[in-house]
Structure formats: structure tokens, C-alpha cells
Amino acid sequence: MTRTPGPLSPPEPVAGAGRGRWVWLADTALAVGLFAITVPVSTVIGRNMPGAVEVDGWGYALIALGTLSLAVRRRWPLGTLAVNSLAVSTYLVVGYPYGPMLLSYLIAVYTVAAHLPVRRAAVGTAVSLVVLLAHTVVSIRGTPEGLLGLVPGSAWVAVPFAVGATVRVNRQSAAQARIEQARRLADDERLRIAQEVHDVVGHGLAAINMQAEIALHLLAKRPEQAETALTAISRTSREALDELRVTLSVVRRDAAVERAPVPGLDQVAALTDRLRRSGLPVTLELTGERRPLAVAVDLAAYRVVQESLTNVLRHAGAATAMVRIGYLPAEVTVEVLDTGHGGAGVAGPGAGHGLTGMRERIGALGGVLEVGPRPGGGFRVFARLPAPARD
């Protein structure tokens, strides 16, 4: 049998399990504090206000019921409002004096509006208002206030309800903003990882493809040289897999893998050596005094070199390449030149995921990327990244 939640059923927990105890303690402290204030103040008012009924044992019992029910206000908002409404309404119908007792009702209304859906909160509050206004037409020991009491009585509902609803809307907006921010960060991280995987896998497969073609060409005529190409394929695939593991460690959070260094310009020499062994004649020139760079800048500069040389392997045909790295006082520059025939039609600006990814990566760091054919043939990729010297 399925149990249908009634008006007094507890809603979904407002606070997380870790916070539940502290929330309950805070609400209990509020309830006890309000009870401790209401009792003496109501006693003084009852003794000195003309026409008011002096608070007696029943009055104190109603004060206790109304104020102490607030201890569970966030666990059972509607239940707390129902109990509080009956206690406050009975208190007023008997003729006891106005005072801090009404503050407990105000807090109960606010809690319902702040923690329940608008429709449920509005229905529950409307019913409680009818109960509360009973003292305007019925009075056991005093004189009913009549219609004149409707306006101030309604104000004790409208004001806290409006405040609670506003707080709830603001809380939901803030939570939605946090969700959207987390989603944007997750999307950015996925795009970054996808770009890293593209760079690593693309470069490795291009080098392996080149060596495989060489091996196939030499296998029948010069098998000893084909063996050299196959050895290069094995080494290149192993290095690509190692770098891929480092990249994917961001997702897996593998502590052992995360200790591996992030690629940077210091690894460009090894990269060019590997490509030379793969059959691409490439030279490396360094100008300026080498210095440590920010991790993001160092990685971006390395990826520019890697992606550019990968494009040479894929598109330039029989070509040579040159890599120039310049360390300037406030920036670092990377230039990759080739003598191939890829041309703008193959790898022109904005073409393909590789160059698009490079442009986005460099732009995000405040840098500039220039790509295009060289006068006289070949292709040029030039990147300038801000990298002020660190003290």
C-alpha cells in the first residue's frame, strides 16, 4: 500500500545529513529562547494592559506549545505551522494579551514559505490564517475585535510569507547558478581533455603511420631497415601511450600517474629527436635565456610544436621542418616552418580540429597564433604567448 503524504507529512530533508544535527540544535535554541522571552513579557503585559486576561497556567501551556514547536520547524514546516496556529489562535481566543507569542507564528509562516513549494505553502498558510483570525469573531473572556482585526491579523501572514518566498527564490537561483557554473567548468574540462587526447593521439598515430609506410616499402628489399622502422613504431606507440595516461589521469585521479611531468618546452628536444628517427628531418633553434614558465603556457607552447609537426607528417609529404623557440623578457614565441606542399588548402587557418584547438588554447592565455603558407612554399605556424619573467 502506497502512503500518500498528507499536510503534516515531513517534506524532503532541507539540510544534508551532515548538517541535520546542527540545524536541529539551532532551531531548538531559537524555540527555547523565544519561550524564555515570551513568558515574562506576556506576564507583564497581561498584568498591566487594560482589558487583557492575565496569563495563567493554560496560557503558559499554550505559549510553550506554540514556541517550542519551532524546534522542528525545518523538519516539519507544515506540522509546525499547524500546531503553532492552533496554539496562537486559542491563546488569542481566550483573551490573553498580544506579545511575543505572535513572533512564533511569524517564524512558522516564514519557514513554510522559505522551504516548501509555493502552492503547498500558500494553501497551508491560508488555512492557518483562517484559524488565526478566529479571535476576531470569537472571544471566551474578552471582546472580539470584529472586522477591524482582519487587517493587522493578515499582515502577520502576508509579510513573513513574502519574505520567506523571496528567500526561497533567491536560494533556488543561487543553487541553479552554482549548477550552471559546475556544468560549464565540467564542459570546459572535457573540451580541454579532448584537445589533449587529440594532440597526443594525433601526433603518435601520424608518426606511426609514417614509419609503417617506410617498413612496408623496405620489407621486401631491405628487411634490416624495415626492422628499424618497426622498432621506431614500438617506441613511438609506447611514448604516446605514456603521455596519454598522463593526460587521462586528470579524469581518473590516479595518484601514481599524476606524478608524471606535464609536457612542456623542455620536452621539445626529445620530440624532435623522435621525429628525426621516424624519418622527418627537423631542426631545433633556441634563442634567449631559457626559464621556467607557467604550466599552462609551457603546455600550450609544447602542443603548438607537437600539433604543427604532426601536420607536417600528415600533409607536407617529403619535407623538412624547423622549430624555433624564443624566450623574450615578457613573452615566449614558438615558430614551426616546413618546406612541404601542404599549403593553405590542407591546413589553413581555422581548418581542422588541430589548428582550431591551438587557436582556442593560445587565445585563452592571451596569446596570438598565426598560421599560413610561407612565401616560396611550405607552411608557417607562429605563436606568441605572454610569459613575464618571474622573480
Side-chain angles (χ1 to χ4, degrees):
M1 177 178 178
T2 302
R3 177 177 176 269
T4 302
L8 301 184
S9 301
E12 50 279 291
V14 175
R19 296 180 57 238
R21 177 177 300 178
W22 296 109
V23 168
W24 181 81
L25 289 175
D27 289 343
T28 300
L30 171 66
V32 172
L34 188 58
F35 172 76
I37 293 173
T38 303
V39 168
V41 173
S42 298
T43 300
V44 172
I45 294 176
R47 291 174 180 174
N48 296 279
M49 177 182 291
V53 176
E54 186 174 344
V55 181
D56 52 18
W58 288 107
Y60 293 133
L62 291 172
I63 291 174
L65 183 62
T67 56
L68 297 181
S69 64
L70 297 178
V72 293
R73 67 187 183 94
R74 278 184 277 192
R75 188 68 181 92
W76 290 287
L78 281 180
T80 298
L81 180 62
V83 172
N84 183 274
S85 300
L86 290 173
V88 173
S89 179
T90 303
Y91 178 91
L92 296 177
V93 166
V94 172
Y96 294 124
Y98 289 98
M101 179 65 166
L102 286 171
L103 290 177
S104 65
Y105 179 74
L106 182 150
I107 295 173
V109 172
Y110 163 83
T111 302
V112 167
H115 294 291
L116 294 182
V118 175
R119 180 173 297 180
R120 289 182 62 194
V123 171
T125 303
V127 173
S128 75
L129 176 61
V130 173
V131 174
L132 178 70
L133 295 179
H135 75 281
T136 62
V137 295
V138 177
S139 180
I140 296 177
R141 301 183 187 178
T143 302
E145 294 184 9
L147 297 179
L148 294 177
L150 294 179
V151 174
S154 300
W156 281 94
V157 172
V159 173
F161 187 88
V163 174
T166 302
V167 169
R168 182 175 184 274
V169 170
N170 291 340
R171 186 187 299 123
Q172 289 178 333
S173 299
Q176 186 63 32
R178 289 193 296 271
I179 292 173
E180 292 297 330
Q181 178 67 12
R183 184 178 293 116
R184 283 194 298 270
L185 292 175
D187 290 341
D188 291 344
E189 183 67 6
R190 282 193 292 268
L191 290 174
R192 187 189 70 79
I193 293 172
Q195 181 61 42
E196 291 290 324
V197 172
H198 170 273
D199 292 343
V200 173
V201 175
H203 171 78
L205 290 179
I208 291 171
N209 178 71
M210 183 177 182
Q211 286 293 331
E213 291 180 350
I214 294 173
L216 289 173
H217 180 72
L218 297 174
L219 185 60
K221 300 177 181 179
R222 286 177 283 181
E224 69 282 356
Q225 294 187 15
E227 181 180 355
T228 302
L230 292 173
T231 301
I233 289 175
S234 175
R235 182 174 55 250
T236 301
S237 61
R238 183 172 59 252
E239 292 170 349
L241 285 173
D242 289 342
E243 192 171 350
L244 183 61
R245 290 190 187 99
V246 173
T247 301
L248 296 181
S249 67
V250 177
V251 180
R252 293 200 311 255
R253 298 298 179 190
D254 189 334
V257 177
E258 284 180 350
R259 288 195 289 268
V262 176
L265 291 180
D266 288 342
Q267 282 76 48
V268 170
L271 174 65
T272 55
D273 287 342
R274 187 163 63 246
L275 290 175
R276 276 194 293 270
R277 291 194 300 268
S278 299
L280 174 65
V282 54
T283 57
L284 174 63
E285 291 185 3
L286 298 176
T287 58
E289 184 178 354
R290 181 181 296 181
R291 64 177 183 273
L293 302 174
V295 174
V297 172
D298 207 16
L299 176 61
Y302 175 84
R303 293 303 188 203
V304 169
V305 176
Q306 184 183 52
E307 179 65 24
S308 300
L309 293 177
T310 300
N311 285 340
V312 175
L313 287 173
R314 288 173 174 170
H315 308 301
T320 61
M322 174 179 289
V323 178
R324 293 172 177 166
I325 300 174
Y327 290 90
L328 304 178
E331 60 188 17
V332 62
T333 62
V334 173
E335 186 177 33
V336 180
L337 307 169
D338 71 72
T339 60
H341 54 74
V346 176
H353 296 292
L355 289 177
T356 300
M358 276 197 288
R359 195 179 301 280
E360 292 175 352
R361 189 194 298 271
I362 298 301
L365 296 172
V368 176
L369 180 68
E370 300 174 4
V371 293
R374 297 173 59 196
F379 203 75
R380 174 179 182 265
V381 176
F382 178 79
R384 178 185 292 110
L385 286 159
R390 293 182 287 183
D391 296 333

